[in-house]
């Protein structure tokens, strides 16, 4: 039977990619795409599916429980996939209030409405609340530590990760206390199309095209596990279809890279792209370092941010054994796809890089 999904944060980076993926995989399902369209949510992320008859976009906030209840009743929602979150660590350091409001209060608002309709009124005995979380709730790893697994104790180190940890606990509590049918996935760092240009990989790509400095925090040896966003969407699909109720599943890319190595790789690939395609120099005349095949000359080391976790790494063994999950992209293949997408979609990232965004970047790195 076709599902009727409420996808929160559906115009954000991961949420939009999930919507694209789901509509392609399940053409008979209906999606209500809810997004507050804050700085990282952008309607242009959904341009290619906006005319799909099975998709309805709603501009609204997850903290508005009356709106959420109205949508769930009107559209007979049986599945919530909850992406909506404030997610940028730097922003959580300078302005933590928004993170507590969206990530904790907003998640609780969704849980309350879901419990009311699905359990208290018994309207949807077969339902699912899937909560999308992050590896950052586990804290930081030393170089030789084993990767995070689902039994790793929570040890969040930033207001962002603390707020996500709190939301994870609320989802768990609603399952164990009330019987809400929930699952949670904790992902590693995503990358790919529609990634907001404040994040490392798209920031490096777009800064190169403007011949701007490539800021590297501290020594650049912070290590992250990188997950191509479509692999993440497929992992969530497997959790929804096959995951055990009340369980958490780590979705990782099995791709650990130091930040400085990523930046050097992007520089190398950008040099290659400009060497192999002379049209790029005409399209991006400001990209002087790329035109001269010397993108690495833009690398600039800046003061490390407070509480910067040294290493994250995800162990996806549970998801592999129980769900059959394996990432299909290596970092080398995924980063080439990502770079090409940004070169081919200048109109998209030009739209999102408005004045307020540029001002914020300048404040961060100058």
């Amino acid at each position: 039977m076709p599902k009727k999904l409420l996808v929160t944060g559906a115009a954000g980076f991961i949420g939009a990619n999930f919507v694209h993926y789901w509509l392609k995989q399940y053409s008979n399902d209906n999606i209500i795409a809810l997004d507050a369209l804050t700085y990282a949510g952008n309607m242009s992320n959904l341009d290619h599916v906006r005319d799909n008859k099975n998709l309805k976009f709603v501009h609204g906030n997850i903290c508005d429980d009356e709106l959420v209840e109205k949508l769930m009743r009107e559209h007979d929602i049986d599945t919530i996939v909850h992406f909506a979150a404030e997610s940028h660590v730097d922003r959580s350091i300078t302005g933590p209030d928004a993170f507590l409001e969206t990530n904790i209060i907003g998640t609780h608002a969704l849980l309350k409405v879901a419990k009311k309709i699905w359990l208290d009124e018994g309207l949807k005995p077969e339902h699912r609340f899937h909560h999308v979380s992050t590896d950052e709730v586990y804290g930081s790893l030393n170089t030789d530590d084993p990767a995070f697994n689902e039994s790793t104790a929570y040890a969040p180190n930033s207001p962002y990760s603390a707020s996500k940890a709190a939301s994870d606990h609320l989802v768990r509590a609603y399952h164990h206390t009330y019987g809400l049918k929930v699952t949670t996935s904790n992902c590693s760092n995503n990358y790919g199309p529609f990634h907001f240009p404040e994040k490392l990989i798209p920031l490096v790509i777009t800064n190169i095209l403007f011949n701007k400095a490539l800021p590297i925090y501290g020594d650049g040896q912070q290590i992250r596990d990188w997950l191509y966003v479509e692999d993440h969407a497929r992992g969530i699909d497997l959790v929804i279809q096959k995951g055990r109720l009340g369980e958490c599943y780590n979705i990782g890319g099995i791709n650990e890279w130091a930040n400085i190595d990523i930046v050097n790789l992007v520089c190398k690939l950008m040099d290659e792209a400009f060497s192999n395609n002379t049209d790029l120099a005409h399209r991006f005349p400001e990209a002087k370092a790329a035109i001269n095949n010397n993108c690495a000359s833009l690398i600039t080391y800046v003061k490390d941010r407070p509480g910067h976790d040294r290493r994250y790494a995800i162990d996806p063994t549970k998801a592999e054994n129980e769900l059959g999950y394996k990432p299909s992209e290596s970092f080398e293949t995924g980063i080439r796809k990502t770079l090409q997408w940004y070169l081919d979609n200048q109109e998209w990232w030009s739209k999102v890089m408005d004045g307020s965004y540029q001002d914020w970047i300048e404040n961060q790195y100058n």
Side-chain angles (χ1 to χ4, degrees), residues 86-94 96 99-100 103 134 136-140 155-166 305-309 312:
E86 295 284 348
S87 64
H88 197 263
V89 175
D90 289 356
R91 288 177 181 260
S92 80
I93 293 169
T94 57
F99 288 74
L100 275 62
N103 299 355
T134 171
E136 296 194 37
V137 298
Y138 297 124
S140 182
N157 290 323
S158 70
Y160 160 60
S161 56
S163 66
K164 288 297 290 184
R305 72 183 179 208
H308 200 174
D309 291 333
Y312 308 140

Side-chain angles (χ1 to χ4, degrees), residues 197-231:
E198 72 184 0
K199 303 287 187 167
L200 177 64
I201 291 173
L203 176 67
V204 170
I205 293 171
T206 53
N207 273 18
I208 288 173
L209 297 177
F210 288 112
N211 212 51
K212 292 187 174 182
L214 308 180
I216 305 295
Y217 281 128
D219 61 5
Q221 293 300 320
Q222 302 87 2
I223 294 172
R224 301 292 182 262
D225 176 24
W226 290 89
L227 172 65
Y228 191 65
V229 67
E230 187 170 322
D231 279 336

Side-chain angles (χ1 to χ4, degrees), residues 150-191:
E150 292 80 0
S151 299
T152 302
Y154 276 29
N157 290 323
S158 70
Y160 160 60
S161 56
S163 66
K164 288 297 290 184
S167 67
D168 293 4
H169 293 319
L170 284 170
V171 172
R172 173 185 170 86
Y174 265 71
H175 173 69
H176 286 276
T177 301
Y178 304 114
L180 196 68
K181 295 181 178 180
V182 309
T183 44
T184 296
S185 56
N186 296 76
C187 69
S188 53
N189 279 33
N190 281 220
Y191 69 100

Side-chain angles (χ1 to χ4, degrees), residues 99-113:
F99 288 74
L100 275 62
E101 180 70 20
T102 298
N103 299 355
I104 302 176
I105 303 303
T107 299
H108 190 226
L110 289 173
L111 289 165
K112 286 191 298 181
V113 174

Side-chain angles (χ1 to χ4, degrees), residues 304-319:
D304 209 351
R305 72 183 179 208
H308 200 174
D309 291 333
R310 196 63 173 171
R311 173 176 168 246
Y312 308 140
I314 280 281
D315 178 358
T317 300
K318 179 179 176 180

